[in-house]
Amino acid sequence: MTPLLGSTALVTGASRGIGRAIARRLAADGVLVAVHYGSNEAAARETVHLIEADGGRAFPVRAELGVAGDVDTLFAALEAGLLAQTGQVRLDILVNNAAITADSIDTITPEAFDHLIAVNTKAPLFIIQRALPLLNDNGRVINLSTAATRIGMPEQPYAMSKAAIEVLSRSLAQLVGGRGITVNAVAPGPTVTDMNPWMLDNPEVQRAVGSGNAIPRAGQPADIADVVAFLASESGRWVTGQIIDASGGCFLG
Ligand code: NDP
């Protein structure tokens, strides 16, 4: 079934991890996906290859975020790709997924903090600003946050950058609701990706991390992608301005 056939999406950070799973899932639903990446071209090409092997459509878009001109670079490549693939420059779905982690609150440097905010908070805001004129009515904006915004986690000042994303999502929902555009944040818990290298290929660690969840296993990228796909679908039309926890019930207390 391809319920979103003819739709277009930009998924940032789609070369690996959760972004790749989101890109693959949306493409399986019929969406033409712009697979954004920062530097790992081989991984982005692999995402495109996997999508095409499954019968879907995608193209890679390179732009390092968090540097001067990042949004200009991204949209120049995105717009050229959409024009080449569809004959027009229209978007239905924007997924702000690309992000980085950082050092602990007691060790992070001002420079590293600036970069964290530039990639995780500033880039999504200005990507949204630039995408709005391209976004069709009844479109979707889905921003990746983290379940870590719900608790104190001193080793993750990165959660600060994501708390801003949640506020942005709520406020933007009000701004664009009149056009039928929904805006939500999806908050994963610990998920097996390159962002958590200690979990990769280590079932014991994954079991230990997952044991704190109501559903006692570690999250997989597809667990998050399915939630994003719901929000992107017609079935998600009445959900907006929300923070959707997709963590298997982690940090429930
Ligand atoms: P990964 O580290 O596995 O992948 C990160 C992706 O973002 C890659 O595609 C990478 O591109 C891209 N990216 C990173 N920095 C930049 C940059 N400066 N410019 C452009 N692209 C960049 O991340 P995850 O899949 O784990 O995370 C995806 C989202 O989910 C993030 O928003 C994260 O905060 C959130 N999340 C993840 C959790 C987890 O446990 N994994 C938990 C909670 C939230 P490239 O391949 O080119 O480097």
Side-chain angles (χ1 to χ4, degrees), residues 13-19 36-40 43 63-66 97-100 115 119 144-147 158 162 188-191 193-196:
S15 47
R16 297 182 282 118
I18 293 169
H36 163 263
Y37 68 104
S39 58
N40 196 334
E64 184 184 353
L65 302 177
N97 166 82
I100 54 173
H115 188 57
V119 176
L144 270 289
S145 181
T146 170
Y158 126 101
K162 293 293 191 172
T191 307
T193 73
D194 296 345
M195 192 171 266
N196 302 317

Side-chain angles (χ1 to χ4, degrees), residues 7-11 14 22-23 26-27 31-35 51 57-60:
S7 301
T8 57
L10 167 63
V11 181
I22 293 169
L26 292 179
V31 179
L32 167 66
V33 182
V35 172
I51 287 171
R57 295 174 68 208
F59 60 92

Side-chain angles (χ1 to χ4, degrees), residues 26 35 91 106 116 164 178 196-197 201 217 223 239 245:
L26 292 179
V35 172
L91 263 187
D106 56 355
L116 177 76
N196 302 317
D201 302 320
R217 66 170 175 80
D223 295 324
V239 180
D245 187 278

